[in-house]
């Protein structure tokens, strides 16, 4: 699937769930490039009190934890590892989420091996990145992708980008999709020893899940989360990420915040694309300072390598 421009999702208000404005891809196979994720509008959902970590289905592996002040980044493209890794080292990157196709070609596998060699030499973790909204209702495909990726022996972790709210049935069949999504996370987590990290929207706690909410249910099933806290200021990033930072702290689970650098039509306040790398660096340093009050804070991920490295200095 080529990278597409997804419309900004419908406005999220307290008591309402998010409705997608575009249908998800039908394929069960992850793309090497990712469509820009649908972003919620400016209204911030009211934070609810973080619940205690459920007593069951709770991962105890803490290998995904790094440190506050560290950086991670998404790498969806086929960029040359010889350029990617020096860039990553210069930006204090400690982990790269690299897109892994459903069945890599010989050339794609050779590139992944080159990237692994270079990241290992630089002391950078490499996680297999994949996902499709349809996996929320197709755990078998998600598990099959994981097993194919980890069979290469190249990856330190699994990074899922499965956004079930992009499915056309989200507003009409949400309980079934939520249940399927959680079952998929359970299946992927237990399919191998590598720690599982999941991309999640900051408003996840507004979605019901059983007797609780989807945020606490997801946190209970993964080793770490990366919050798509996409705003164009440090205060905005921390502000929308605070609820999940608190929930992660309550559950003793690492939580990364994230910053967007791709241009987003209809949501200019969701991205740092209009600024410079220097301004972004300053903002992220402020995020580090402000978010450090949460013991769950695990640094910041930047979306993504191509747009970030193309920003004006």
């Amino acid at each position: 699937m080529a990278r597409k421009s997804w419309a900004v999702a419908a406005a999220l208000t307290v008591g309402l769930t998010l409705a997608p404005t575009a249908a998800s891809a039908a394929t069960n196979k992850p793309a090497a490039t990712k469509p820009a994720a649908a972003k919620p509008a400016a209204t911030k959902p009211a934070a609810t009190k973080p619940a205690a970590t459920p007593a069951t289905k709770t991962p105890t592996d803490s290998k995904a934890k790094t440190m506050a002040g560290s950086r991670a980044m998404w790498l969806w493209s086929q960029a040359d590892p010889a350029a990617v890794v020096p860039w990553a080292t210069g930006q204090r990157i400690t982990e790269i989420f690299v897109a892994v196709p459903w069945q890599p070609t010989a050339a794609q596998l050779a590139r992944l091996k080159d990237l692994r060699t270079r990241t290992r030499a630089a002391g950078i973790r490499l996680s297999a990145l994949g996902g499709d909204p349809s996996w929320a209702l197709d755990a078998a495909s998600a598990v099959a992708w994981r097993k194919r990726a980890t069979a290469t022996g190249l990856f330190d972790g699994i990074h899922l980008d499965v956004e079930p709210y992009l499915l056309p049935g989200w507003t009409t069949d949400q309980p079934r999709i939520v249940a399927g999504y959680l079952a998929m996370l359970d299946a992927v987590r237990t399919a191998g020893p590598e720690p599982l990290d999941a991309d999640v929207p900051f408003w996840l706690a507004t979605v019901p899940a059983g007797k609780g909410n989807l945020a606490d249910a997801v946190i209970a099933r993964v080793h770490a989360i990366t919050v798509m806290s996409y705003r164009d200021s440090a205060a905005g990033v921390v502000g929308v990420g605070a609820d999940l930072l608190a929930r992660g702290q309550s559950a003793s689970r690492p939580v990364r915040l994230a910053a967007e650098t791709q241009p987003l039509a209809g949501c200019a306040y969701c991205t740092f694309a209009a600024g410079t790398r220097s301004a972004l660096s300053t903002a992220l340093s402020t995020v580090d300072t402000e978010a450090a009050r949460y013991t769950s804070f695990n640094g910041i991920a930047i979306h993504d390598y191509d747009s970030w490295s193309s920003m004006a200095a």
Side-chain angles (χ1 to χ4, degrees):
M1 182 195 315
R3 177 172 289 139
K4 298 178 181 178
S5 176
W6 291 76
V8 177
L12 177 68
T13 56
V14 177
L16 297 179
T17 54
L18 186 73
T21 58
S24 65
T27 178
N28 288 334
K29 298 174 177 56
T33 55
K34 174 184 181 291
K39 306 299 186 297
T43 307
K44 178 184 176 183
T48 55
K49 182 179 179 181
T53 306
T56 59
K57 299 184 180 179
T58 304
T60 57
D61 188 333
S62 61
K63 289 187 288 185
K65 178 70 175 176
T66 55
M67 66 180 71
S70 70
R71 301 285 180 264
M73 69 180 183
W74 286 267
L75 176 59
W76 291 99
S77 75
Q78 295 294 306
D80 185 353
V84 171
V85 176
W87 165 268
T89 301
Q91 303 301 319
R92 294 189 294 146
I93 296 295
T94 59
E95 184 169 358
I96 295 174
F97 319 137
V98 61
V100 179
W102 178 260
Q103 188 159 3
T105 63
Q108 289 170 333
L109 185 57
R111 171 183 165 272
L112 289 170
K113 289 179 178 178
D114 183 21
L115 183 63
R116 170 72 283 187
T117 298
R118 293 173 186 273
T119 53
R120 184 174 287 121
I124 297 172
R125 287 173 53 85
L126 190 64
S127 287
L129 168 63
D132 188 273
S134 65
W135 287 2
L137 297 175
D138 184 9
S141 287
V143 169
W145 169 82
R146 174 186 175 133
K147 289 183 175 180
R148 285 171 182 260
T150 56
T152 64
L154 299 177
F155 303 107
D156 301 302
I158 298 296
H159 194 96
L160 277 186
D161 186 274
V162 176
E163 302 178 45
Y165 44 88
L166 296 180
L167 290 172
W170 180 251
T171 57
T172 58
D173 199 13
Q174 190 178 97
R176 184 174 72 94
I177 292 174
V178 165
Y181 174 60
L182 294 176
M184 181 274 298
L185 291 177
D186 283 331
V188 173
R189 187 192 72 246
T190 58
E194 298 84 3
L196 174 62
D197 189 345
D199 291 336
V200 298
F202 64 79
W203 43 263
L204 204 60
T206 66
V207 180
K211 296 181 179 180
N213 63 76
L214 189 54
D216 293 328
V218 169
I219 288 171
R221 286 167 167 80
V222 299
H223 299 96
I225 60 172
T226 297
V227 183
M228 294 181 285
S229 50
Y230 296 157
R231 289 294 183 263
D232 63 354
S233 68
V237 170
V238 176
V240 298
D243 180 56
L244 288 178
L245 282 167
R247 292 175 187 278
Q249 179 171 285
S250 177
S252 299
R253 195 73 75 247
V255 176
R256 273 196 183 98
L257 298 182
E260 176 67 272
T261 62
Q262 288 186 347
L264 297 176
C267 197
Y269 59 83
C270 295
T271 176
F272 288 92
T276 63
R277 292 200 304 269
S278 176
L280 173 62
S281 179
T282 298
L284 298 187
S285 293
T286 301
V287 171
D288 287 332
T289 300
E290 294 299 317
R293 66 181 181 270
Y294 297 96
T295 59
S296 58
F297 180 53
N298 194 33
I300 307 166
I302 293 84
H303 190 269
D304 63 355
Y305 165 75
D306 291 273
S307 52
W308 185 19
S309 61
S310 297
M311 293 174 72

